[in-house]
């Protein structure tokens, strides 16, 4: 996930620079940022003591589906003028992905601190 974020970030900065507006590039970059942040979050999760394996699995799935929906839909929305695909009717996927990311963070927080109490 991290490597793909770097590839997409470089593609956005170099390959899309001439074909997207500055606003579209900023939107694309937002997707890249959230993807890299959550790749790092998954690394942190793997190293965090006190979180059960079951919870790690649940959080992993929330995060990867969340990134797919959130960042993936942002990539598609930002590049719609280039691809010719109007993804706006499916824009509701973005907040669903964001919600899954929030749920992933909250589950780790709850599981980690439940064991500390």
């Amino acid at each position: 996930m991290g490597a793909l974020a770097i590839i997409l970030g470089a593609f956005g900065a170099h390959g899309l620079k001439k074909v997207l507006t500055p606003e579209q590039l900023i939107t694309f970059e937002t997707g890249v940022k959230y993807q890299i942040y959550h790749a790092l979050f998954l690394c942190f999760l793997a190293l965090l003591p006190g979180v059960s394996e079951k919870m790690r699995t649940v959080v992993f799935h929330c995060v990867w589906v969340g990134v797919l929906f959130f960042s993936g839909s942002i990539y598609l929305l930002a590049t719609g003028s280039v691809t010719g695909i109007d993804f706006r009717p499916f824009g509701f996927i973005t907040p669903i992905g964001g919600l899954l990311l929030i749920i992933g963070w909250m589950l780790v927080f709850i599981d980690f601190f439940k064991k500390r109490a």
Side-chain angles (χ1 to χ4, degrees), residues 5 11 30 46 50 53 58 78 85-86 97 106 114:
F11 176 67
T30 298
E53 277 305 308
V58 170
I85 299 170
D86 182 11
M106 294 304 295
K114 186 189 300 183

Side-chain angles (χ1 to χ4, degrees), residues 9-112:
F11 176 67
H14 302 290
L16 296 176
K17 191 175 190 177
K18 294 178 182 175
V19 295
L20 295 182
T21 67
E23 293 81 16
Q24 290 169 318
L25 283 172
I26 290 169
T27 300
F28 191 90
E29 185 179 292
T30 298
V32 171
K33 285 179 185 177
Y34 274 79
Q35 184 172 339
I36 197 72
Y37 296 155
H38 286 88
L40 293 171
F41 173 62
L42 290 177
C43 292
F44 167 75
L45 176 65
L47 300 173
L48 186 64
V51 177
S52 69
E53 277 305 308
K54 180 180 178 182
M55 187 57 66
R56 286 182 209 276
T57 301
V58 170
V59 171
F60 170 79
H61 289 296
C62 283
V63 169
W64 82 261
V65 173
V67 167
L68 179 68
F69 283 14
F70 185 82
S71 292
S73 64
I74 287 176
Y75 299 144
L76 293 172
L77 287 165
T79 59
S81 64
V82 176
T83 64
I85 299 170
D86 182 11
F87 194 70
R88 288 177 296 178
F90 301 100
F92 67 89
I93 292 173
T94 308
I96 292 171
L99 180 61
L100 287 170
L101 296 174
I102 292 166
I103 289 169
W105 281 90
M106 294 304 295
L107 287 173
V108 169
F109 179 80
I110 290 166
D111 191 64
F112 182 77

